[in-house]
């Protein structure tokens, strides 16, 4: 089992920045690829970004490419999502997830999920 706890969400104006953190406990953090997903009201949960076990490979949704950066610190059992140039359409609950392969983007490819952190971007 892996327990994941997100933090760092909040209210920010359009054009601003936030950094989300996801702290993991339980089984070996470095054994898992990590992903960030988000879910806006009335919409399906969607892939945002993922990172491989050692951080060498990163993948992004087209909608956040160039604005968001995912990175991890295996010594701290933490994965981060740096979000810059935020837009109102980035408003959502953001979830981190642990899985087997960062290349895959479907919810079913991830085995463990956090409870989510709310990000609200005002215009």
């Amino acid at each position: 089992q892996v327990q994941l706890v997100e933090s760092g969400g909040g209210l920010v104006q359009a054009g601003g920045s936030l950094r989300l953190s996801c702290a993991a406990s339980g089984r070996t953090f470095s054994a898992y690829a990590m992903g960030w997903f988000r879910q806006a009201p009335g919409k399906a949960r969607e892939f945002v970004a993922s990172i491989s076990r050692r951080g060498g490979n990163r993948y992004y949704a087209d909608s956040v490419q160039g604005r968001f950066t995912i990175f991890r610190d295996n010594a701290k059992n933490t994965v981060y999502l740096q979000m810059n140039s935020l837009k109102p359409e980035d408003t959502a609950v953001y979830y981190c997830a642990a899985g087997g392969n960062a290349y895959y983007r479907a919810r079913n490819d991830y085995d463990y999920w956090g409870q989510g952190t709310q990000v609200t971007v005002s215009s």
Side-chain angles (χ1 to χ4, degrees):
Q1 287 284 343
V2 175
Q3 292 79 42
L4 303 172
V5 179
E6 302 96 336
S7 62
L11 174 64
V12 63
Q13 289 188 332
S17 298
L18 281 175
R19 178 178 291 185
L20 306 183
S21 300
C22 174
S25 60
R27 299 185 68 179
T28 305
F29 177 70
S30 60
Y32 293 92
M34 298 298 297
W36 285 96
F37 289 71
R38 67 187 182 187
Q39 188 166 14
K43 295 187 177 181
R45 193 171 298 187
E46 64 175 4
F47 170 83
V48 174
S50 61
I51 187 167
S52 57
R53 294 173 179 83
R54 295 185 179 182
N57 294 307
R58 310 179 192 187
Y59 304 92
Y60 297 94
D62 290 345
S63 59
V64 307
Q65 181 77 48
R67 299 188 297 121
F68 290 10
T69 302
I70 186 172
F71 58 102
R72 66 191 295 165
D73 185 339
N74 285 348
K76 295 183 178 179
N77 289 352
T78 303
V79 62
Y80 304 91
L81 185 68
Q82 177 67 42
M83 306 186 294
N84 298 330
S85 302
L86 283 161
K87 304 175 181 180
E89 51 262 45
D90 294 318
T91 295
V93 177
Y94 283 71
Y95 299 88
C96 73
N101 192 319
Y103 179 78
Y104 299 114
R105 304 185 176 201
R107 289 182 62 177
N108 290 344
D109 295 318
Y110 290 81
D111 302 310
Y112 303 101
W113 292 83
Q115 294 301 306
T117 186
Q118 176 71 48
V119 172
T120 303
V121 184
S122 62
S123 57

